[in-house]
Amino acid sequence: MSKMKPKLNMAALFLCATLMTACTPSDGKPESAQAVEKTNLNGPQDAKEIEAFADPLFAEVMKKHNVNGSNFVVVKDGKVLVNKGYGYADKEKKTPVDKNTVFQIGSVTKTFTGLAANQLADQGKIDLHEDIQTYLGGMKIPNKTEKKLTMFDLLTYTPGFDFPDIASYYSPEFANKDMPMKQFILDHMPTVVRPPGEAYTYDNFGFLLAGYAIENVSGMPFHQYMDKNVFKPLGMNSTSVRLTPELNNRMAAHYGLAGELVPMDWNAPTDGPQGSIISTGDDMAKYLTMLLQKGKYGDQQLVSEKTAEQMLTYQVVADKSIPQTTVGGFEGYRNELANGQRVVIKGGNVTGHQSLIVVIPEKNTAFSMSYNNETVMMSMDVYEAFMDHYFPETKTLEKPVYVHLDEKDAEKYVGLYQNTRFFFLKSKFSYADGKLLMETGTGKHTFKMITPLLFEDESGNKLAFKKDHRGSIEYFYYNSMEGNHFVSDSQKIHGKQPFSDVAEGSKYKSFIDVLHALDIMGAKSGTRFEPQASMTQSEFADALLRAHGWYGVPWTIDSTKRQMLTGLPSFDPNAIITRQTAAVMIQNLKELKPASKVQLSGQTDASAVEAVTALVSQGVIDPDTTVKADGSVDFRSNQPLLRQEAAALLDKAFGHYALPLPIK
């Protein structure tokens, strides 16, 4: 998902928008504002009041985020209070969005897959806690742990796969192909490397595998199972796992972040339990109604009441105050916007479309929205405004009481961690003056301890450490929106056997050891790192892509490689790479800009001056690059890049460091 903004007070903004269009009665307040004050403490009750709230809200946020069209559905107490469209499904053709406009709902699909799996569990055909291989028709899952992988783990985003996005492929060409799940899964199989159930990682492959289990157990293709057992019982006649001609004709056009028209992507395989469902506002209203009515819609009971409740109850938490996932694909991010309510949410993002569903079980209220832009920011604005308007915080939040952390107790927390989904996101913890200090690629933070395992930063964001099966601190979850920390737990990085040819006192040793632990650069031969050896352009490119951290996400690989090579006069995989060529490739991926004026000495090719200047000014230099007496810096641009130097540059550019770093 995209980065999200800090919480804003949107309620005042939308009240102002109402004031501009409403008549003003004798007491000085507009009629719509009076309606807001009268009903907002009881939740949504009346369609006219909801529209008075939503109309200016959508006008403002759609303009703000370059969104051309959106639907909006509100359901309460078994009734659909609002089901309408805003703006254009196709701005070029001036086609308005209405309740029958089709959108790709992306990862909201996961909640439907969760429903289907729980449905089969209700029928005794799947045991959520049995080895998932039991339901895969002989397919084997590589597993380096001693714990079995279950359907429960898949549905709670805790399977422990090394590459959770390894099977995530998207392209316009896939919309016209029929690619079965089985062979695709076999060709893109990850490995279980963490004990299932131990760590939360947003996982696309887990839901793809869950969908295949549904297909195998039911004896029918996934899309047929969903049509027969989910969509038809709910009367969702405009919802499908696959793209049909009729639904494609009603599909909203797809637009990029700036509002530009973009082609529609489809995923591989063709049936995508992790994200391929398309639907309408009218159909999503039926789905929300079923969820709120404990699995029942009309005379159809899709899942038992107990199972329906379980689907909307958090099963995985970082701390009791930090919910993470249910056993139905729902999540708990942005819990600070819930205003003390139990809220489960699920967002979905595909190229040019974005969706969100929000369910508030105790208030028997839910809403959904889909729009033709991929920014997640608009949906979060609407979520915040909806909760502040209808379910405002009624309790004064108590300020936490902090506990002093002594240095010895801090030892179990300190160290380097890496996000279990987004490998580019690394964080290092150290100790100072009774607090934990965190340095990550997006900045530095100070944490005070509330209780053992639970900390709070200077902005009030919570961070919870988690223990592994041995009782050791192994993970943390940070609910800050900064840097995508909220998408997954981060795992502690443990050192590996040191190289035999890297001296203990080497000024490059720390960089080499970190890249070794992160599997970015390993031995060149046997147990030898060969720090003084040169590298080919291909060898450096491979290490750079791993350091960059997006190598486990297939849909980014080709574009990342193109970006890496931008501006190079040539790329010869077998040629020895120079320091300036490496600098250009690093700058391309890191997108560094000069942080200060730097005077370069020595010779640097004109095509590399900007890159070298950017790296030097940001402190991305090796220990042998120093400031001369006259203030100039010689990057040794045309010299071959040595392996130890590559380790230093890659660690500083893509490690946990907040740039710029001091230049010595």
Side-chain angles (χ1 to χ4, degrees):
M1 301 182 73
S2 303
K3 292 182 180 179
M4 299 180 185
K5 64 176 182 60
K7 182 175 180 178
L8 299 175
N9 185 2
M10 299 296 289
L13 173 64
F14 302 123
L15 182 57
C16 290
T18 303
L19 285 168
M20 294 176 65
T21 57
C23 298
T24 303
S26 58
D27 65 358
K29 293 184 179 180
E31 293 176 348
S32 57
Q34 287 184 325
V36 166
E37 291 179 359
K38 185 175 181 180
T39 62
N40 65 3
L41 293 179
N42 300 314
Q45 303 287 334
D46 175 76
K48 290 184 178 179
E49 186 280 328
I50 297 172
E51 291 188 37
F53 157 73
D55 289 356
L57 163 56
F58 275 83
E60 177 68 25
V61 296
M62 287 171 65
K63 179 180 179 180
K64 175 183 175 183
H65 297 295
N66 295 310
V67 173
N68 293 303
S70 179
N71 64 25
F72 183 54
V73 175
V74 179
V75 174
K76 182 176 174 62
D77 297 329
K79 297 180 180 179
V80 180
L81 298 182
V82 168
N83 182 5
K84 66 180 300 184
Y86 295 96
Y88 294 113
D90 188 319
K91 69 177 180 180
E92 287 75 23
K93 298 178 180 178
K94 303 299 182 185
T95 306
V97 174
D98 61 26
K99 65 180 183 178
N100 296 312
T101 302
V102 174
F103 288 89
Q104 291 178 278
I105 64 172
S107 286
V108 175
T109 297
K110 292 179 174 68
T111 68
F112 286 88
T113 300
L115 176 71
N118 278 291
Q119 196 174 58
L120 290 172
D122 274 348
Q123 298 168 13
K125 296 178 180 178
I126 287 180
D127 182 339
L128 295 183
H129 301 283
E130 180 58 77
D131 191 325
I132 192 63
Q133 294 176 129
T134 305
Y135 309 111
L136 300 180
M139 183 183 292
K140 299 297 181 183
I141 310 298
N143 190 336
K144 292 185 177 181
T145 78
E146 297 179 355
K147 190 176 181 184
K148 66 185 179 183
L149 174 64
T150 70
M151 178 66 83
F152 188 89
D153 300 321
L154 300 179
L155 299 184
T156 55
Y157 303 92
T158 61
F161 287 128
D162 52 357
F163 296 108
D165 293 301
I166 197 171
S168 299
Y169 287 80
Y170 306 97
S171 172
E173 67 176 299
F174 295 152
N176 301 312
K177 292 185 178 180
D178 186 358
M179 292 173 283
M181 266 196 268
K182 182 177 180 179
Q183 191 58 51
F184 190 88
I185 290 173
L186 290 172
D187 291 342
H188 301 87
M189 182 71 75
T191 298
V192 178
V193 294
R194 291 178 294 276
E198 191 168 275
Y200 158 60
T201 303
Y202 190 87
D203 196 307
N204 280 302
F205 187 86
F207 276 82
L208 174 59
L209 192 61
Y212 179 68
I214 292 167
E215 182 172 286
N216 193 62
V217 169
S218 67
M220 63 180 74
F222 181 76
H223 70 278
Q224 290 183 11
Y225 179 89
M226 298 301 290
D227 284 341
K228 179 180 179 181
N229 297 283
V230 177
F231 303 148
K232 287 184 179 178
L234 290 174
M236 297 178 71
N237 299 321
S238 294
T239 301
S240 176
V241 170
R242 294 192 167 194
L243 184 65
T244 67
E246 194 274 329
L247 294 180
N248 191 35
N249 288 336
R250 288 194 271 136
M251 178 81 71
H254 296 66
Y255 297 93
L257 294 176
E260 74 280 14
L261 191 67
V262 296
M264 179 190 72
D265 279 342
W266 199 258
N267 60 272
T270 305
D271 287 358
Q274 77 281 20
S276 74
I277 288 178
I278 54 180
S279 191
T280 65
D282 203 42
D283 278 4
M284 290 303 293
K286 299 169 184 176
Y287 182 56
L288 296 179
T289 300
M290 179 275 299
L291 291 173
L292 291 174
Q293 294 184 157
K294 298 182 178 180
K296 188 174 184 179
Y297 186 80
D299 60 356
Q300 299 287 325
Q301 188 76 44
L302 274 77
V303 291
S304 67
E305 289 190 9
K306 180 180 178 180
T307 294
E309 178 64 25
Q310 181 174 268
M311 288 182 63
L312 300 179
T313 302
Y314 289 106
Q315 310 291 325
V316 177
V317 299
D319 174 82
K320 63 181 180 181
S321 64
I322 308 175
Q324 290 181 298
T325 72
T326 76
V327 72
F330 291 93
E331 298 175 273
Y333 60 89
R334 300 308 308 267
N335 190 53
E336 76 277 9
L337 302 184
N339 294 338
Q341 302 289 337
R342 174 163 69 100
V343 179
V344 297
I345 68 176
K346 187 72 195 88
N349 184 294
V350 299
T351 303
H353 280 187
Q354 171 75 29
S355 292
L356 176 72
I357 60 175
V358 174
V359 183
I360 313 160
E362 276 75 24
K363 300 299 182 179
N364 209 16
T365 301
F367 79 81
S368 76
M369 58 188 294
S370 295
Y371 50 92
N372 51 8
N373 187 304
E374 58 202 75
T375 175
V376 74
M377 304 289 278
M378 178 174 134
S379 60
M380 288 295 100
D381 282 355
V382 173
Y383 172 36
E384 178 179 12
F386 186 92
M387 295 304 298
D388 285 349
H389 180 66
Y390 290 111
F391 304 105
E393 186 70 66
T394 58
K395 297 180 181 179
T396 301
L397 298 179
E398 295 183 4
K399 293 184 178 180
V401 177
Y402 301 116
V403 180
H404 178 79
L405 176 67
D406 64 44
E407 189 169 6
K408 183 172 179 59
D409 284 343
E411 290 177 359
K412 57 179 173 283
Y413 304 114
V414 300
L416 180 65
Y417 295 74
Q418 182 178 47
N419 192 271
T420 55
R421 184 190 185 197
F422 290 146
F423 303 149
F424 65 83
L425 188 56
K426 307 174 188 75
S427 307
K428 187 176 183 179
F429 290 89
S430 57
Y431 173 82
D433 301 324
K435 306 176 186 67
L436 285 180
L437 305 181
M438 175 192 190
E439 184 174 10
T440 186
T442 53
K444 300 178 181 180
H445 300 283
T446 300
F447 290 88
K448 297 179 181 179
M449 186 167 71
I450 300 173
T451 62
L453 302 183
L454 183 63
F455 291 74
E456 185 176 80
D457 72 8
E458 63 282 344
S459 300
N461 297 308
K462 299 293 194 303
L463 183 147
F465 287 94
K466 301 168 75 173
K467 296 181 179 180
D468 64 8
H469 60 287
R470 300 164 299 187
S472 301
I473 301 296
E474 182 69 6
Y475 311 97
F476 78 80
Y477 180 78
Y478 186 24
N479 71 355
S480 170
M481 295 298 104
E482 182 185 88
N484 290 307
H485 285 280
F486 66 97
V487 301
S488 298
D489 289 346
S490 290
Q491 184 171 12
K492 185 176 286 188
I493 299 300
H494 301 281
K496 295 182 178 181
Q497 186 69 29
F499 297 107
S500 60
D501 60 342
V502 179
E504 190 64 35
S506 169
K507 51 192 173 184
Y508 288 93
K509 179 175 171 55
S510 63
F511 305 117
I512 292 170
D513 287 348
V514 167
L515 265 63
H516 186 205
L518 292 167
D519 294 321
I520 294 172
M521 289 184 70
K524 187 170 177 63
S525 61
T527 62
R528 297 176 59 82
F529 184 77
E530 299 189 24
Q532 296 289 332
S534 59
M535 303 179 74
T536 66
Q537 292 186 10
S538 178
E539 287 172 336
F540 180 75
D542 288 344
L544 173 55
L545 290 172
R546 288 193 293 273
H548 179 242
W550 283 91
Y551 58 93
V553 185
W555 74 79
T556 71
I557 292 175
D558 288 342
S559 61
T560 299
K561 288 181 178 178
R562 288 193 298 270
Q563 180 181 346
M564 178 179 67
L565 302 179
T566 300
L568 288 181
S570 63
F571 180 76
D572 182 350
N574 298 314
I576 297 299
I577 191 166
T578 62
R579 292 169 56 83
Q580 66 179 5
T581 298
V584 172
M585 294 167 71
I586 290 173
Q587 187 204 26
N588 284 341
L589 291 191
K590 189 66 178 178
E591 298 181 335
L592 291 176
K593 301 296 181 183
S596 59
K597 289 186 178 180
V598 172
Q599 179 183 350
L600 297 180
S601 60
Q603 183 178 356
T604 299
D605 293 354
S607 61
V609 168
E610 179 184 348
V612 171
T613 301
L615 264 64
V616 172
S617 70
Q618 293 280 0
V620 181
I621 54 178
D622 59 281
D624 288 317
T625 299
T626 58
V627 180
K628 294 185 176 182
D630 63 359
S632 66
V633 177
D634 183 3
F635 191 72
R636 312 186 308 285
S637 296
N638 284 287
Q639 293 183 17
L641 178 72
L642 306 183
R643 281 172 56 81
Q644 64 181 10
E645 297 167 354
L649 296 182
L650 293 177
D651 183 38
K652 285 188 174 183
F654 299 99
H656 59 278
Y657 305 99
L659 302 179
L661 294 169
I663 307 172
K664 299 179 181 179

